[in-house]
Amino acid sequence: SVPFLVCLFPSLLTKFVYLNFLAFPFFTDFRRPELLVNNTISLHLTTEPGVTVGIWHTVPGSRAAEARGRDQRWYEEALADAHPVIIYLHGNGGTR
């Protein structure tokens, strides 16, 4: 019956392959990454009209003391300085 259901509802296969409806670890608020990872904030970028991508900006340990207690504006300015930026794309399953 599973192949029959997949033929009728192909979106089911996508949900079971990627499991993007699960948030792991459970009961974690991913909108507040500072509770999970030090020196991290959550930002949102508008990539095109109607499309917004959520990102986490984490500064390296060498700038940890400088980042402690700073607001979102400081993190945005830190992205614009001369330091290199590493973009980690975790894939399309799971969460940030």
Side-chain angles (χ1 to χ4, degrees):
S1 68
V2 172
F4 180 71
L5 288 173
V6 169
C7 286
L8 285 178
F9 308 102
S11 63
L12 285 178
L13 180 63
T14 324
K15 294 211 179 290
F16 287 115
V17 169
Y18 299 116
L19 298 175
N20 56 0
F21 57 92
L22 291 178
F24 185 80
F26 302 112
F27 309 112
T28 303
D29 186 5
F30 290 102
R31 294 171 294 181
R32 303 207 42 219
E34 65 275 6
L35 301 176
L36 300 168
V37 183
N38 291 332
N39 312 316
T40 302
I41 63 164
S42 185
L43 300 172
H44 292 85
L45 301 175
T46 302
T47 58
E48 59 186 57
V51 177
T52 302
V53 177
I55 64 167
W56 284 359
H57 178 211
T58 303
V59 296
S62 60
R63 297 185 74 186
E66 185 182 357
R68 195 167 292 120
R70 298 296 183 123
D71 62 354
Q72 181 173 335
R73 183 173 176 208
W74 183 88
Y75 281 85
E76 290 172 355
E77 290 172 357
L79 283 172
D81 66 10
H83 292 86
V85 174
I86 298 172
I87 299 175
Y88 172 70
L89 304 171
H90 63 81
N92 56 354
T95 62
R96 286 182 275 168

